[in-house]
PDB file of all heavy atoms in Angstrom:
ATOM      1  N   ILE A  75     -53.095  34.294-133.106  1.00 98.00           N
ATOM      2  CA  ILE A  75     -54.204  34.686-133.988  1.00 98.00           C
ATOM      3  C   ILE A  75     -54.998  35.813-133.326  1.00 98.00           C
ATOM      4  O   ILE A  75     -55.464  35.691-132.204  1.00 98.00           O
ATOM      5  CB  ILE A  75     -55.119  33.494-134.287  1.00 98.00           C
ATOM      6  CG1 ILE A  75     -54.369  32.407-135.067  1.00 98.00           C
ATOM      7  CG2 ILE A  75     -56.364  33.935-135.049  1.00 98.00           C
ATOM      8  CD1 ILE A  75     -53.889  32.851-136.431  1.00 98.00           C
ATOM      9  N   ALA A 265     -92.027  39.410-136.845  1.00 98.00           N
ATOM     10  CA  ALA A 265     -91.022  39.107-137.881  1.00 98.00           C
ATOM     11  C   ALA A 265     -91.606  38.002-138.757  1.00 98.00           C
ATOM     12  O   ALA A 265     -92.008  36.945-138.252  1.00 98.00           O
ATOM     13  CB  ALA A 265     -89.706  38.663-137.243  1.00 98.00           C
ATOM     14  N   THR A 310     -69.926  39.616-151.087  1.00 92.00           N
ATOM     15  CA  THR A 310     -69.903  39.157-149.698  1.00 92.00           C
ATOM     16  C   THR A 310     -68.527  39.367-149.070  1.00 92.00           C
ATOM     17  O   THR A 310     -68.413  39.757-147.899  1.00 92.00           O
ATOM     18  CB  THR A 310     -70.317  37.679-149.604  1.00 92.00           C
ATOM     19  OG1 THR A 310     -71.585  37.497-150.250  1.00 92.00           O
ATOM     20  CG2 THR A 310     -70.408  37.216-148.155  1.00 92.00           C
ATOM     21  N   VAL A 382    -113.809  44.209-154.810  1.00 92.00           N
ATOM     22  CA  VAL A 382    -114.243  42.911-155.296  1.00 92.00           C
ATOM     23  C   VAL A 382    -114.488  43.012-156.796  1.00 92.00           C
ATOM     24  O   VAL A 382    -115.000  44.022-157.284  1.00 92.00           O
ATOM     25  CB  VAL A 382    -115.515  42.418-154.554  1.00 92.00           C
ATOM     26  CG1 VAL A 382    -116.686  43.382-154.765  1.00 92.00           C
ATOM     27  CG2 VAL A 382    -115.893  41.018-154.978  1.00 92.00           C
ATOM     28  N   ARG A 383    -114.079  41.976-157.526  1.00 88.00           N
ATOM     29  CA  ARG A 383    -114.271  41.957-158.961  1.00 88.00           C
ATOM     30  C   ARG A 383    -114.746  40.569-159.385  1.00 88.00           C
ATOM     31  O   ARG A 383    -114.180  39.555-158.955  1.00 88.00           O
ATOM     32  CB  ARG A 383    -112.952  42.274-159.689  1.00 88.00           C
ATOM     33  CG  ARG A 383    -113.094  42.398-161.200  1.00 88.00           C
ATOM     34  CD  ARG A 383    -111.775  42.844-161.846  1.00 88.00           C
ATOM     35  NE  ARG A 383    -110.780  41.776-161.886  1.00 88.00           N
ATOM     36  CZ  ARG A 383    -109.689  41.770-161.153  1.00 88.00           C
ATOM     37  NH1 ARG A 383    -109.473  42.734-160.265  1.00 88.00           N
ATOM     38  NH2 ARG A 383    -108.820  40.769-161.250  1.00 88.00           N
ATOM     39  N   ALA A 407    -109.074  32.215-141.268  1.00 96.00           N
ATOM     40  CA  ALA A 407    -110.379  31.599-140.981  1.00 96.00           C
ATOM     41  C   ALA A 407    -111.392  31.859-142.088  1.00 96.00           C
ATOM     42  O   ALA A 407    -112.192  31.009-142.422  1.00 96.00           O
ATOM     43  CB  ALA A 407    -110.918  32.130-139.638  1.00 96.00           C
ATOM     44  N   ARG A 413    -113.837  27.852-148.416  1.00 93.00           N
ATOM     45  CA  ARG A 413    -113.639  26.536-149.014  1.00 93.00           C
ATOM     46  C   ARG A 413    -114.827  25.613-148.758  1.00 93.00           C
ATOM     47  O   ARG A 413    -115.082  24.690-149.540  1.00 93.00           O
ATOM     48  CB  ARG A 413    -112.358  25.872-148.457  1.00 93.00           C
ATOM     49  CG  ARG A 413    -111.053  26.553-148.842  1.00 93.00           C
ATOM     50  CD  ARG A 413    -109.889  25.753-148.292  1.00 93.00           C
ATOM     51  NE  ARG A 413    -108.639  26.468-148.312  1.00 93.00           N
ATOM     52  CZ  ARG A 413    -107.808  26.559-149.368  1.00 93.00           C
ATOM     53  NH1 ARG A 413    -108.142  25.948-150.493  1.00 93.00           N
ATOM     54  NH2 ARG A 413    -106.687  27.228-149.295  1.00 93.00           N
TER      55      ARG A 413
END
Side-chain angles (χ1 to χ4, degrees):
I75 296 296
T310 305
V382 61
R383 185 175 75 250
R413 293 183 194 276

